[in-house]
Amino acid sequence: MMNKIFKLTLIGAAGVMLLASCNDFLDVRPKSEKVENDQFSDASGFEDAINGVYGSLQQTSLYGKDLLWGVNEVLAQDLQCTSTTMSAMASYDYTNDYVKQELSNIWTQAYQTIGYANNVLENLADKGSGLKYYNLYRGEMLGVRAMLHFDMLRLFAPTDTTKTGIPYATSYSKTVNPFLTVGEDYRRIIADLREAETLLSQDATLMAYPRSNSQYDKFTNYRETHCNLYAVQALLARVYWMKGDMANAGAYAEKVISSGNFPLVEPTEVQDYLAGRLSPKETIFGVYSASYLETCQNYLYTYQSYQSYNPYYDGSGSAHLLPYTTLYTLDVEATAQDYRLTHFVQSGAYATFLKLVDYYELETNGAQPDGRDSYIPGVTLIHSSELYLIAAEAFLNTNMEKARGYFDQERMSRGLPALTAEQTLTADMIYNEYHKELFGEGQVWYNMKRLNKDIQSNARSLTLPASDNIYVLPIPDDEYQYR
């Protein structure tokens, strides 16, 4: 498979999307080796190639759909789609040919994009030492490489660090990368991210809140659309949290929170702060995408049988184990107002999930409410509320005051009251709050796997015991055919 991916990568490696402004991209796809050499002759060429990597991240097989809500939320039993593929996916039938193809697409696109990042890194090593923003270029590509490997590890490998993980690709070549242990994969992911953290230190100045985006060099503007310093620190918090290293998870979550650069939105802003655009407050890292609106319209906004992704809902008289309406009642008083419920619109027998849909663009011919017209269209990959909940869990057993503080801040920003003095914060409460907060964003499945949770299957109306047979997705057969 790696040979196959390399051949595909050669064709598209220099496919670039030039960021002329926050919403002005040029797609250029040089194919020959000569043009590729010219591509990396100056800073502009490197920046074009880097923006091409970000353009690849918003493909539907990656964060433009499947790794956001298209596959991950079906696995988590939060969204349902009655297509043949997703019906089998919801039942964890990984032998189904359509499911195998869907997973192969994710794997292939991820490693292609890793190849694009590695191509930039190799050319930086050869020709980039004198570039003004060498550190930013290298740091960003290391961060993207680590992020993609981390998500492939979370999908396709067990949590046991002694077991077989995934290949870790560090070169742009047709070399077949060996399978590593999960523990070695983690070591390499963390090493890439820690180096990136050092290289991206300039972002501490560039990303002060509120952001002005008035830097003379365009590459240093709109840093939330780059894998920036705080994105890397947030990824480190995720990685350590997934790995079970709560001390480092808490430390890195606090680094991002204490920067003050990503304040939580107000409750009245919750309804649309992620609606197809990057929040100027909470978004730590997201990718620009002009195509994401159409994807959302086709699969989330407009109801179509066998295509739409909708939250499990009992409006038709059905009785699911954990419909969204039940989820959002957990651990709260009946009179409490959770502003996240505005993300769901009930319509007879089904509900629509609009949290990530730019419905203003679809309903008002592009007219946005005051202020939102300056938001960047695209896909949010990491936002700050998640870090508050990681910190709450990280400090739960060592500093209850801190844990409660982070938990209360996140809940209150969503319209819920702080815990009373009589209430004890528990791991289950944090788990339930994480589920509510990250609903639809592709992260809940990983949290279930991390904790080895039994699965409340809405699709099958039964509870499935936790098992690697469910939580470890099969690596595509093609990967082994090229070894």
Side-chain angles (χ1 to χ4, degrees), residues 260-275:
N261 291 333
F262 309 95
L264 295 167
V265 297
E266 297 296 324
T268 54
E269 299 172 302
V270 167
Q271 178 173 337
D272 60 6
Y273 78 115
L274 292 180

Side-chain angles (χ1 to χ4, degrees), residues 251-306:
Y252 272 100
E254 284 198 308
K255 282 188 179 186
V256 179
I257 295 168
S258 64
S259 74
N261 291 333
F262 309 95
L264 295 167
V265 297
E266 297 296 324
T268 54
E269 299 172 302
V270 167
Q271 178 173 337
D272 60 6
Y273 78 115
L274 292 180
R277 295 187 177 228
L278 309 188
S279 165
K281 288 186 176 180
E282 288 202 19
T283 297
I284 300 169
F285 178 33
V287 292
Y288 167 88
S289 179
S291 62
Y292 183 63
L293 179 68
E294 183 178 359
T295 301
C296 286
Q297 182 176 18
N298 290 339
Y299 292 99
L300 293 174
Y301 182 79
T302 303
Y303 180 79
Q304 301 179 66
S305 296
Y306 304 106

Side-chain angles (χ1 to χ4, degrees), residues 134 216 452:
Y134 171 88
Y216 177 77
N452 202 34

Side-chain angles (χ1 to χ4, degrees), residues 95 274 314:
T95 64
L274 292 180
D314 291 344

